[in-house]
Amino acid sequence: MGWLVIVALVLFLLTSSNVQQVAERIITKTQQQMSQVVKNFKIPSLADRYETTVPTSKSSQSQKQQSDVRGEKATPLESNVKGKTLKNVYYYRFASGTPEKVRREFLSAVKAYNATKIVKLVAGTGTQKQNQIVFSIYDTAQKGQAGVIELGVGGPVIIQQTGWDAYTVNHAKASLNVHYVQSVRLSVAMHELGHALGLDHSTDRHSVMYPVDQGRTALSQADLAALQQLYS
Ligand SMILES: [Zn+2]
């Protein structure tokens, strides 16, 4: 039970920016305990690189939306959720400072994922032992190749506790890069929320998990199959 109290204290301290130094000291002290609790901790990194090159025209987008469900390539799962048993209920919230227009896109994405009935995303904070998603924004100018823009990041953060009190939860994150207006779109929110829930990049253009934004806002049959695999 000792580590639980410490973890709660660290989390509390981390949220108060004026006591960061104290938090850092405590983190160093409890690093060993933490490593026992967090078995598989994947920080959603900028490596996601959900990108767009040039905006595609409206007409070509609507043509692409008519997906042929047959012959779709499977949507893979993020490596850190493979083989894990996760409950299908998530509590989601917005980080402070998340603009209204961004909230709107994420809420539409939440609605779309809830419509699948495979996962259930509920507004709220949730407890340490419950799945959570935090939606947020960041502001980063592109550093990669010319004409390539990073639109967002997202991913699962798996916390696995073993022993008598065993549980596995996902405290996920999904974030839009507000440096670019192209990021604040439902298709980008769908993609980053997909990562948060454990979906990895797909090579299939019908998937919302295709790594280049095509304006796709509907989950493909392969996307649904991947969610089903993970949450049932
Ligand atoms: Zn991605």
Side-chain angles (χ1 to χ4, degrees):
M1 287 308 285
W3 61 265
L4 250 183
V5 178
I6 293 163
V7 170
L9 180 65
V10 169
L11 286 171
F12 170 73
L13 288 168
L14 277 171
T15 58
S16 346
S17 55
N18 57 336
V19 287
Q20 282 251 305
Q21 282 189 328
V22 181
E24 275 160 26
R25 253 181 284 144
I26 291 172
I27 287 168
T28 314
K29 261 190 194 171
T30 58
Q31 210 166 17
Q32 211 180 343
Q33 289 97 312
M34 287 291 285
S35 68
Q36 287 162 10
V37 179
V38 184
K39 300 281 187 193
N40 190 357
F41 189 85
K42 184 195 175 190
I43 297 167
S45 66
L46 294 182
D48 171 31
R49 304 207 66 87
Y50 187 43
E51 296 165 342
T52 189
T53 46
V54 286
T56 49
S57 73
K58 283 263 187 254
S59 60
S60 71
Q61 268 176 35
S62 60
Q63 275 167 11
K64 281 176 191 165
Q65 288 281 10
Q66 296 163 6
S67 74
D68 174 9
V69 296
R70 288 160 298 178
E72 278 181 19
K73 284 164 254 173
T75 304
L77 297 179
E78 293 270 10
S79 59
N80 60 340
V81 302
K82 277 183 193 161
K84 301 289 191 308
T85 304
L86 291 169
K87 290 202 172 111
N88 71 338
V89 176
Y90 279 82
Y91 291 87
Y92 69 86
R93 62 192 161 89
F94 295 96
S96 61
T98 307
E100 192 51 45
K101 58 184 178 175
V102 171
R103 290 175 191 238
R104 219 179 301 135
E105 300 304 345
F106 274 127
L107 286 173
S108 296
V110 163
K111 215 173 179 183
Y113 278 89
N114 277 342
T116 68
K117 310 269 189 202
I118 300 168
V119 287
K120 190 179 176 191
L121 282 60
V122 183
T125 308
T127 67
Q128 172 67 21
K129 294 182 185 181
Q130 289 173 316
N131 292 323
Q132 303 175 11
I133 302 172
V134 178
F135 296 120
S136 63
I137 56 164
Y138 67 105
D139 185 333
T140 305
Q142 65 190 65
K143 294 186 188 99
Q145 306 143 269
V148 174
I149 292 170
E150 181 184 293
L151 300 175
V153 299
V157 179
I158 299 300
I159 298 165
Q160 197 167 26
Q161 167 64 25
T162 52
W164 65 273
D165 194 24
Y167 63 90
T168 302
V169 287
N170 178 11
H171 288 185
K173 295 173 198 297
S175 195
L176 300 188
N177 184 5
V178 294
H179 196 81
Y180 304 107
V181 287
Q182 295 97 314
S183 301
V184 187
R185 297 181 80 188
L186 178 54
S187 58
V188 185
M190 288 292 291
H191 180 94
E192 300 310 338
L193 179 50
H195 277 308
L197 292 170
L199 304 184
D200 202 353
H201 283 157
S202 168
T203 54
D204 195 309
R205 284 179 174 270
H206 299 124
S207 171
V208 299
M209 300 314 295
Y210 191 73
V212 179
D213 184 31
Q214 303 180 101
R216 200 167 283 284
T217 56
L219 294 158
S220 71
Q221 290 304 310
D223 295 337
L224 292 170
L227 282 176
Q228 196 87 56
Q229 188 196 332
L230 188 53
Y231 292 104
S232 55

